[in-house]
Amino acid sequence: MIKFLEKLLNWIYVERCYFCGSSDEAKRLCSKCLGSVKILPLQPHSLINGCNVYSASMYDDIVKKLIKRVKYHHDIKLAQEQAKLMADYWLKFNFTEKFVVLPVPQHKNRIRKRRGNHMDIVGKEFCDLLSYTLLPDFLVRIKDTKPQYKLSREEREENLKDAFSLFPEKLPDKSSPILIIDDIKTTGTTLKEIISLLQKNGYTNIRAFTTAKT
Ligand SMILES: [Zn+2]
């Protein structure tokens, strides 16, 4: 009976790949599923207000499932995998700057509803891997915006107008290299709003980096 229970518990508690469910590597993202992620070429993928914007992969298959799981369920092990995917990509650039990392913030109503901002979790893991400084409370979302995916480009811009603010007591040095991070880049409206705000406040060394782009 004890042997049976032991076997049962092992079966229940062994870590399985969230994506294929069949790997016996005891990882939430097995190497085969990770290997199927299409990593983008090592270059900036767009320019917003003169700032380079990078994405590690396209928003499809495994990455789509990964981002959704981290966003809506705060799966810590998968957040670590998301951060690692980003860090592995970022490391290849050999940037010498020690970036100050700003995760794209959520409005406090949404943070309360989802019990935290998933990009703070990913950001912390990302910074731990690269020895960067995470600044989760400097950039705040002051407007409870509608979800962007239902809106046209014009509506997105209107929706996000003056949506963000900077928390003045936490201002990093104006010459600090800033890295804004987010999970998905679609039209880039969110990043544009944040970059404009930072530029208005005198920051010039700004880059943005997302896990995926559509
Ligand atoms: Zn797998």
Side-chain angles (χ1 to χ4, degrees), residues 17 19-21 23 29-30 33:
C17 176
F19 303 89
C20 63
S23 170
L29 172 56
C30 76
C33 290

Side-chain angles (χ1 to χ4, degrees), residues 116-130:
N117 176 14
H118 62 287
M119 283 315 294
D120 286 352
I121 306 171
V122 176
K124 184 181 178 307
E125 299 291 339
F126 178 76
C127 288
D128 282 353
L129 289 166
L130 298 171

Side-chain angles (χ1 to χ4, degrees), residues 54-71:
Y54 307 78
S55 303
S57 110
M58 291 305 290
Y59 185 58
D60 55 16
D61 307 328
I62 300 277
V63 173
K64 193 171 185 176
K65 213 173 154 185
L66 170 71
I67 286 174
K68 284 192 170 167
R69 183 74 192 170
V70 172
K71 185 171 193 160

Side-chain angles (χ1 to χ4, degrees), residues 16-23 25 27-34 62:
R16 277 186 188 80
C17 176
Y18 172 67
F19 303 89
C20 63
S22 63
S23 170
E25 281 176 31
K27 283 166 97 178
R28 285 291 276 168
L29 172 56
C30 76
S31 46
K32 186 168 160 256
C33 290
L34 180 63
I62 300 277

